[in-house]
Amino acid sequence: MPASTSLPETQDKPKAFVGSLSYGLNIIMAFGRANPRMTLSQVSEKTGMDRAGARRYLLTLVHLGFVAQDGRLFQLTPKVMELGYAYLSSVPLADKAQYYLDKVRDQSGFPVALGIRDGLDIVHIASANTDEFSFPALTIGRRFPIAYASAGRCILAMMEKSERDSLLKQITLEPLSDRSITTMEALRRELRVVAKKGYAIVDQEMQIGVRSLAVPIFDARERIVASFNTFTFSSIVPMEKLIDDVLPDMLAAAQDIQHTLI
């Protein structure tokens, strides 16, 4: 068996825990934009598995069609997307939101996405993009740090205090630009502003020149479940236009979606 996995050593495991499934998923998750192709040694190092264990799981994934091998190099295959689509297809929120995403996109001319929290990240589960704002694209499955994404701050600000405090203790602030918030005190202060205003704006903290706006989506019990977000380029779209012209449409769309959630 592999010497170690990416699971925390202190994490309690149920009696029915299947280690082999965990190891296989760790290998799949080890691949990414920075390392789309890896050797056995690289996979072993990144996952914490010994080479023999990593080799067995890699070859199993090759046999199942989730990983392709080219000499010494391994890479994921498109079949991995089936795992994500299986999740997306089970989330009715994404389907319900698509009409409103398209509507806000058409009204504003800006790309719009629906994000949910996954641990300390925000993940897009639906989007509506435009040719004018093709980069950075709000693509399905894309992840952003919850502390710096406007959707993340929106969700953090609107959740129960105890849950928020627990999450904030786990966050390590890693500034993405010279305008990023760098202290937890500043983040908490910003979250209070977001909660009071009812929306979040992140101005060039994720990327210089990019400004994003997010509004919360609540369920029928007034619990935060997701966030609508959009972005513009600060050099061509004034803050006033974003707030005066785009924010009302996003708030209305979020309210309409809430009415569909039972």
Side-chain angles (χ1 to χ4, degrees), residues 163-236:
E163 184 180 8
R164 178 173 60 251
D165 288 343
S166 176
L167 282 175
L168 291 178
K169 291 178 182 179
Q170 302 174 48
I171 292 175
T172 299
L173 294 176
E174 298 178 351
L176 301 172
S177 81
D178 58 11
R179 300 190 60 164
S180 298
I181 282 176
T182 58
T183 68
M184 191 57 63
E185 179 183 358
L187 177 59
R188 288 181 179 275
R189 186 164 55 247
E190 179 62 21
L191 293 178
R192 289 194 292 271
V193 172
V194 172
K196 183 177 181 179
K197 290 184 174 181
Y199 63 89
I201 288 183
V202 170
D203 192 9
Q204 304 183 72
E205 291 187 56
M206 289 278 292
Q207 181 179 331
I208 294 297
V210 175
R211 179 181 293 137
S212 63
L213 164 69
V215 299
I217 296 177
F218 300 93
D219 64 13
R221 298 182 180 179
E222 295 294 327
R223 296 174 301 190
I224 184 72
V225 294
S227 179
F228 257 168
N229 68 283
T230 186
F231 80 89
T232 66
F233 297 117
S234 58
S235 60
I236 61 176

Side-chain angles (χ1 to χ4, degrees), residues 42-253:
Q42 290 172 320
V43 172
S44 173
E45 180 180 358
K46 193 165 181 63
T47 61
M49 299 181 185
D50 59 43
R51 283 174 55 88
R55 180 176 181 275
R56 288 198 301 272
Y57 289 107
L58 271 171
L59 294 181
T60 299
L61 290 169
V62 169
H63 176 73
L64 294 174
F66 291 107
V67 171
Q69 182 178 5
D70 181 12
R72 297 176 59 249
L73 293 173
F74 296 87
Q75 66 183 67
L76 298 181
T77 71
K79 187 174 182 180
V80 172
M81 297 178 67
E82 295 179 10
L83 301 176
Y85 284 128
Y87 168 70
L88 291 175
S89 65
S90 69
V91 182
L93 177 59
D95 292 333
K96 292 178 179 179
Q98 192 61 56
Y99 167 79
Y100 301 100
L101 289 168
D102 293 341
K103 182 178 180 180
V104 174
R105 185 267 317 275
D106 294 341
Q107 290 172 327
S108 67
F110 303 146
V112 191
L114 177 70
I116 61 172
R117 183 176 72 85
D118 181 20
L120 301 181
D121 291 332
I122 289 297
V123 181
H124 290 159
I125 62 172
S127 66
N129 285 289
T130 68
D131 293 336
E132 291 78 9
F133 293 84
S134 59
F135 182 83
L138 300 182
T139 52
I140 294 176
R142 191 168 184 184
R143 308 175 75 89
F144 298 91
I146 195 170
Y148 290 112
S150 58
R153 287 187 185 172
C154 214
I155 291 176
L156 279 172
M158 305 301 173
M159 65 174 49
E160 292 291 333
K161 182 179 183 301
S162 59
E163 184 180 8
R164 178 173 60 251
D165 288 343
S166 176
L167 282 175
L168 291 178
K169 291 178 182 179
Q170 302 174 48
I171 292 175
T172 299
L173 294 176
E174 298 178 351
L176 301 172
S177 81
D178 58 11
R179 300 190 60 164
S180 298
I181 282 176
T182 58
T183 68
M184 191 57 63
E185 179 183 358
L187 177 59
R188 288 181 179 275
R189 186 164 55 247
E190 179 62 21
L191 293 178
R192 289 194 292 271
V193 172
V194 172
K196 183 177 181 179
K197 290 184 174 181
Y199 63 89
I201 288 183
V202 170
D203 192 9
Q204 304 183 72
E205 291 187 56
M206 289 278 292
Q207 181 179 331
I208 294 297
V210 175
R211 179 181 293 137
S212 63
L213 164 69
V215 299
I217 296 177
F218 300 93
D219 64 13
R221 298 182 180 179
E222 295 294 327
R223 296 174 301 190
I224 184 72
V225 294
S227 179
F228 257 168
N229 68 283
T230 186
F231 80 89
T232 66
F233 297 117
S234 58
S235 60
I236 61 176
V237 179
M239 182 77 78
E240 293 76 14
K241 177 177 176 59
L242 194 62
I243 294 176
D244 294 342
D245 297 347
V246 183
L247 176 60
D249 291 336
M250 292 182 64
L251 288 171

Side-chain angles (χ1 to χ4, degrees), residues 7-17:
L7 289 172
E9 291 297 329
T10 57
Q11 181 173 329
D12 294 332
K13 300 176 183 177
K15 293 181 178 180
F17 185 85

